[in-house]
Amino acid sequence: MIRLIGYFFGIGVMLALVVAAGVAFYIGTISKDLPDYEVLARYEPPVTTRVHASDGALMAEFARERRLYLPVQAIPDRVKAAFLSAEDKNFYQHPGIDILSLFRAVATNVQNIGSGRRPVGASTITQQVAKNFLLDSSQTYDRKIREMILSFRIEQAYSKDRILELYLNEIFFGLGSYGIAGAALTYFDKSVNELTISEMAYLAALPRGPTNYHPYRHTERAIERRNWVIDQMVANGFVEAEEAAQAKAEPLGVSPRRGGTYMEAGEYFTEEVRREMIARYGENALYEGGLSVRTTLDPEMQLQAREALQNGMIRYDTLRGFRGPIAEVELGDDWGVAVSEVSGLADVPEWRPAVVLEAADGSVSVGLQPRRQASGELVEDRETATLAVADMEWALRHTVDGQRVRASSIGEVLQPGDVVYVEEKADGGYLLRQVPEVSGGMVAMDPHTGRVLAMVGGFSYAQSEFNRATQAMRQPGSSFKPILYAAALDNGYTPASVVDDAPITIRVGNDVWEPKNYGGDFAGPSTLRMGIERSRNLMTVRLANDMGMDIVAEYAERFGVYDKMLPVLAMSLGSGETTVMRMVSAYAVMANGGRYIQPSLVDRIQDRYGKTVFKHDQRVCHGCNAASWEEQAEPELIDERDQVLDPMTAYQITSMMEGVVQRGTATTLAELGHPIAGKTGTTNDSRDAWFVGYTPDLVVGLYVGYDQPRTLGNGATGGGLAAPIYKEFMAEVLKDKTPVAFRVPEGMQQIAINRQTGMRANQGEGGVIMEAFKPGTGPADSYWVIGMDGATAERAREISPQASEALISGSGGGLY
């Protein structure tokens, strides 16, 4: 018996050795090509890039995987407890594999053989980290064993907290979100430390199968799984029974956070930042790099700019009548369903699609588009509203077969089933609205830093993503004149220099060009100040010819209006194409004392670790970071930007453009009661209407025009269309602010001159204005007219009988 026992024991030992050898060989074989688990130490997952306004408000997020990486120390203990209870309650005790759970899983799988059920895995959090980071998701025993081996190695190399941190930041939660921080924002629009017990338990239920526990498609199943997690938290001592009962009684409360842009009216600005980031760092850095971008946007000013530009477009558009409904639907039994399928303007929340239910002589009854719940389902209530015909008389002028006609009643314009936009009035009731055909762009900038504070690229980003503030190439028209006049003032002319405003003919080869003033009149010899205040084209052409277009082109390029300007006389009237952003940047040069301005939409960019990788303000400040005060000199902020215009010239052109507001083509702005310098612009055939202006601390420019350039109509000018938009915007910006005068450079002389002749004024003389002169310059001692012919000489004698006949012969160069 002893020998038999020994025999069987020997056989058993041999079999055990063979099995052990086989297992060792098998493990050795599958371990040869195991991934390097040390990559976990260098783990940098794709992280969401977040864009913020200047006040820190979140503007937008860009990500392929919506993830925000959180260190484990920043994750609340109860949140960690929810996941441990749901996934691996023995996480802090086992060596990477939970043996008891593994045996239970094996037993369950044996019992389920032939049942068709999916095998139970019993994976620990460490095993899930090994699978998610280093392996694939195949359901094989080989993969499972490789996962176990890696789990042992990971546990030996990293702390439990590090493993849990990797897990909570990597896992997929559904709805495009990854990681616990991203999931909290996506499902509940909350940070992790704001989650309730119910919410954290639901999130802990999701990693097993986000689609299985979808909050809307499988609500009951999701609640059941969430409640199971809460029970596990109670069983593991993380939550009291009373708290658990209260949490289980709550609904899921999921409120999905929309992606993309979060700031109202900021869509054009955000898209411009997105393009800039891709150009600077590439798409991967934007969508995976976890950058933190602090922009220059002023949210309040952005809203004011959008409202002012939209109101200006609407005012212009409604004068041209109604062009018809945006859609037509069958009313049927439930008009709410029909009108819900019509897409509205998501970025114009004030407007709402509505279907006409009845159009009577005195009013129009409409059904408002039903709002949608978070689940996407329509609300059951059907709201109706009434539009008074008195509020929509403009629509009586409407378009029929391309022709504008006037209807006798609103019933001829709107029919039941027509879908239109309506806007609720502040005092109740609704207004009929339509998307304007005309468009435009607007930019507001800090002239001292180039920081773009507001930018509007059109009426609605949802309607058109084309940014007319930065992408539309338009003729600036007369708004280019200050660039030319600044060049003249920088090259020997003064605001009192006199140029002939009279008909002129330019011959180039066989071509003849005869520019004209707006309105067709002319004023004869006039000072440069009068020329810019009244926007005289004939004077401008003569001045450009006298000065030389090469100089004008040089200054236009210095100011950044054009990259390369063709030095021909027609360009002196703004016939070249540029953008609103470039024009605002050029005016900023004049507003800030002649220094070049580099416009910027971004103040600072930080990488995922908080290191600053870009900063717009490159000025150097010596002594700003002194450790202590030792009676040293005050810190000096050194501005190394290029001086592209003499500071005194900058003040002279500013003073002349103040006259545009006080006496010229933009007198409506004088009602604001603040020092404002600016210039209107109207292009050929009134295709574009411009205004660019500035206070000492803010430059704003805009244009209004059709995307496919065509006339805006007779009488459409920068002073009539663009300046009122600027006025509406600045009225809000300057509200409750004390007027600030433009700074006069030291050494500037103020001399009284005759407005007409530009000569020094005599005591008691009428028509006098104070003019700014540089040291060594002043009014002419005798009357001199640039670009004069014989007829001009006769007019000059009438203006100044004492004028010298010799001087009147002038330097006109034969242009007349």
Side-chain angles (χ1 to χ4, degrees), residues 447-710:
H448 308 296
T449 62
R451 299 174 70 248
V452 178
L453 305 176
M455 178 172 63
V456 186
F459 183 81
S460 164
Y461 184 80
Q463 177 206 16
S464 169
E465 297 181 9
F466 182 68
N467 191 334
R468 295 154 188 85
T470 60
Q471 295 176 300
M473 302 299 294
R474 314 292 293 205
Q475 292 180 342
S478 293
S479 63
F480 176 76
K481 288 175 182 173
I483 312 300
L484 186 151
Y485 280 69
L489 295 171
D490 223 28
N491 286 273
Y493 299 80
T494 75
S497 295
V498 179
V499 180
D500 192 16
D501 181 36
I504 182 172
T505 299
I506 307 295
R507 289 185 174 87
V508 181
N510 295 325
D511 295 327
V512 176
W513 178 47
E514 295 183 347
K516 291 180 173 57
N517 289 326
Y518 184 83
D521 63 342
F522 49 90
S526 304
T527 62
L528 296 194
R529 171 179 286 278
M530 291 181 66
I532 203 167
E533 287 182 0
R534 298 181 182 179
S535 197
R536 312 304 289 185
N537 292 339
L538 299 174
M539 280 186 63
T540 302
V541 172
R542 276 194 169 84
L543 176 61
N545 185 74
D546 189 72
M547 178 170 46
M549 281 303 297
D550 286 337
I551 293 177
V552 177
E554 177 191 343
Y555 274 78
E557 292 164 14
R558 275 198 212 177
F559 281 52
V561 178
Y562 307 111
D563 291 327
K564 186 68 176 175
M565 174 177 157
L566 191 65
V568 296
L569 278 174
M571 295 291 285
S572 66
L573 299 181
S575 61
E577 293 182 337
T578 187
T579 66
V580 175
M581 180 70 81
R582 283 177 173 248
M583 288 300 294
V584 170
S585 300
Y587 275 62
V589 171
M590 296 178 277
N592 80 340
R595 287 195 179 274
Y596 176 72
I597 286 298
Q598 179 65 48
S600 177
L601 279 68
V602 176
D603 274 338
R604 185 189 70 231
I605 302 172
Q606 294 173 292
D607 63 17
R608 67 173 70 205
Y609 304 108
K611 178 183 177 182
T612 298
V613 295
F614 169 81
K615 186 172 66 172
H616 169 64
D617 192 346
Q618 299 297 321
R619 291 177 296 176
V620 178
C621 184
H622 296 299
C624 284
N625 296 321
S628 61
W629 173 255
E630 298 177 359
E631 299 186 2
Q632 68 265 43
E634 292 183 4
E636 182 181 359
L637 190 62
I638 300 176
D639 191 346
E640 297 180 342
R641 292 173 297 183
D642 293 338
Q643 188 79 42
V644 299
L645 190 68
D646 186 307
M648 290 189 174
T649 299
Y651 176 75
Q652 285 179 315
I653 193 66
T654 296
S655 174
M656 290 165 67
M657 284 195 285
E658 279 190 276
V660 174
V661 173
Q662 295 163 359
R663 295 172 295 276
T665 56
T667 53
T668 182
L669 303 180
E671 298 173 10
L672 293 173
H674 284 254
I676 295 173
K679 184 69 184 74
T680 57
T682 308
T683 62
N684 281 343
D685 299 324
S686 297
R687 293 186 175 188
D688 288 323
W690 285 75
F691 184 81
V692 188
Y694 54 90
T695 64
D697 298 311
L698 184 66
V699 186
V700 180
L702 67 112
Y703 87 90
V704 176
Y706 291 102
D707 285 342
Q708 296 298 322
R710 67 177 194 261

Side-chain angles (χ1 to χ4, degrees), residues 30-280:
I30 66 172
S31 299
K32 285 182 180 178
D33 58 347
L34 280 178
D36 181 9
Y37 60 89
E38 293 183 358
V39 299
L40 298 180
R42 303 184 298 274
Y43 173 60
E44 288 189 349
V47 177
T48 300
T49 288
R50 311 186 89 193
V51 180
H52 300 267
S54 60
D55 64 353
L58 181 64
M59 291 175 59
E61 295 177 323
F62 299 105
R64 294 192 178 103
E65 298 179 2
R66 298 173 67 182
R67 176 189 286 109
L68 298 174
Y69 196 91
L70 276 184
V72 70
Q73 297 85 355
I75 301 173
D77 289 340
R78 267 193 168 176
V79 173
K80 290 185 279 189
F83 283 87
L84 294 178
S85 298
E87 296 291 326
D88 189 359
K89 67 178 181 180
N90 297 320
F91 172 72
Y92 279 96
Q93 286 77 45
H94 63 64
I97 297 174
D98 190 334
I99 303 299
L100 291 178
S101 296
L102 181 61
F103 281 137
R104 284 196 297 268
V106 170
T108 300
N109 290 335
V110 170
Q111 291 176 357
N112 291 338
I113 291 176
S115 66
R117 295 181 181 178
R118 185 176 179 177
V120 177
S123 293
T124 63
I125 284 177
T126 310
Q127 287 175 269
Q128 293 183 57
V129 168
K131 180 185 71 173
N132 292 337
F133 286 83
L134 305 173
L135 300 171
D136 57 37
S137 299
S138 60
Q139 296 291 324
T140 65
Y141 288 107
D142 280 355
R143 199 273 299 164
K144 197 68 178 177
I145 293 172
R146 289 157 61 88
E147 177 186 294
M148 293 179 182
I149 296 170
L150 283 172
S151 296
F152 281 121
R153 294 180 180 180
I154 290 170
E155 288 275 353
Q156 294 171 356
Y158 303 103
S159 68
K160 288 285 188 180
D161 281 347
R162 173 59 176 168
I163 296 169
L164 184 59
E165 178 181 296
L166 292 171
Y167 171 76
L168 290 176
N169 282 286
E170 174 65 18
I171 49 178
F172 177 59
F173 285 86
L175 299 186
S177 62
Y178 292 78
I180 181 60
L185 287 171
T186 299
Y187 281 89
F188 300 108
D189 199 13
K190 291 181 177 181
S191 62
V192 173
N193 56 11
E194 294 175 318
L195 294 174
T196 65
I197 294 174
S198 170
E199 292 165 346
M200 65 181 68
Y202 175 59
L203 293 181
L206 289 172
R208 282 295 176 94
T211 57
N212 296 333
Y213 306 111
H214 192 279
Y216 303 123
R217 290 196 292 266
H218 306 295
T219 306
E220 294 302 321
R221 191 189 302 170
I223 292 176
E224 182 181 346
R225 176 69 179 175
R226 178 205 65 180
N227 292 347
W228 178 85
V229 174
I230 294 174
D231 289 337
Q232 293 300 306
M233 293 178 73
V234 173
N236 295 326
F238 297 124
V239 173
E240 296 295 331
E242 184 177 342
E243 291 179 294
Q246 183 178 350
K248 290 166 68 174
E250 296 176 5
L252 286 179
V254 171
S255 178
R257 184 182 191 178
R258 64 187 178 92
T261 302
Y262 301 116
M263 181 163 291
E264 184 180 357
E267 293 84 3
Y268 283 108
F269 196 104
T270 300
E271 174 60 16
E272 196 68 21
V273 170
R274 187 191 72 86
R275 286 196 291 262
E276 180 179 330
M277 296 298 295
I278 290 176
R280 188 186 295 272

